[in-house]
Amino acid sequence: MATVTIRVATADDAALILRFIRELAIYEKAESSVQTDEAGIRASLFGADATAHALICEAGGEAIGYAVYFYNYSTWLGRNGIYLEDLYVSPQQRGSGAGKALLQHIARIAVADGCGRFEWSVLDWNEPAIRFYEAAGAKPQSEWTVYRMEGDALRKFAAG
């Protein structure tokens, strides 16, 4: 088994990241929800105003996964945290340690930056991911319900 390495993504990785996003969306049964393109990825992750960060996971010189995260804030802790937006490893590479390597890499960033939390969401039907996260020591936060406002609802609400 090839050694897994993690590197910071660059703008040159925009097409690769978009490919992984589409693969993840297919896995999550939400392929039609992907509305971005390579230019959107390049601007949002690598533009001057980018606030999210991306990592590429490689094995044997081949990109096998990625992660995207950003900093959030806890008023209760009075400290930043990290929110993991995406963690994806190609199906044929699952079980290789790549997912754990990505998760640990971001956990190390959180610790080094003095973050109080490292959080993410997982679909309730994604049993393999749930087992993986719980084996890593993560605990579900079942008392919280995620709410989302997007598209027309967001625009209408913002307009008053």
Side-chain angles (χ1 to χ4, degrees), residues 4-160:
V4 172
T5 59
I6 311 285
R7 66 173 175 81
V8 174
T10 68
D12 291 337
D13 293 310
L16 172 65
I17 292 169
L18 181 60
R19 187 187 94 208
F20 284 143
I21 289 169
R22 288 184 175 139
E23 289 176 16
L24 176 60
I26 290 167
Y27 177 76
E28 292 184 346
K29 302 173 179 81
E31 183 177 10
S32 64
S33 295
V34 177
Q35 298 177 24
T36 193
D37 57 15
E38 189 175 332
I41 296 299
R42 190 178 300 275
S44 62
L45 286 178
F46 307 107
D49 296 330
T51 58
H53 308 275
L55 302 169
I56 301 295
C57 182
E58 298 176 326
E62 176 189 356
I64 62 168
Y66 83 112
V68 171
Y69 67 94
F70 57 89
Y71 291 86
N72 57 14
Y73 183 76
S74 168
T75 55
W76 290 7
L77 297 177
R79 296 165 60 187
N80 284 338
I82 287 184
Y83 187 85
L84 176 64
E85 179 65 23
D86 283 354
L87 177 87
Y88 177 77
V89 174
S90 298
Q92 64 275 19
Q93 296 294 329
R94 292 181 189 149
S96 68
K100 183 177 180 181
L102 279 164
L103 203 62
Q104 284 181 316
H105 187 93
I106 299 168
R108 287 186 198 105
I109 292 169
V111 170
D113 289 351
C115 294
R117 294 179 177 158
F118 179 21
E119 300 174 305
W120 57 90
S121 298
V122 61
L123 291 166
D124 60 2
W125 57 260
N126 192 347
E127 286 297 325
I130 291 168
R131 286 192 306 273
F132 168 70
Y133 294 137
E134 289 181 352
K139 304 283 186 242
Q141 301 297 299
S142 58
E143 68 274 12
W144 293 93
T145 299
V146 176
Y147 280 82
R148 178 179 297 160
M149 191 180 294
E150 63 184 352
D152 287 339
L154 175 59
R155 286 185 287 279
K156 286 177 184 175
F157 186 74

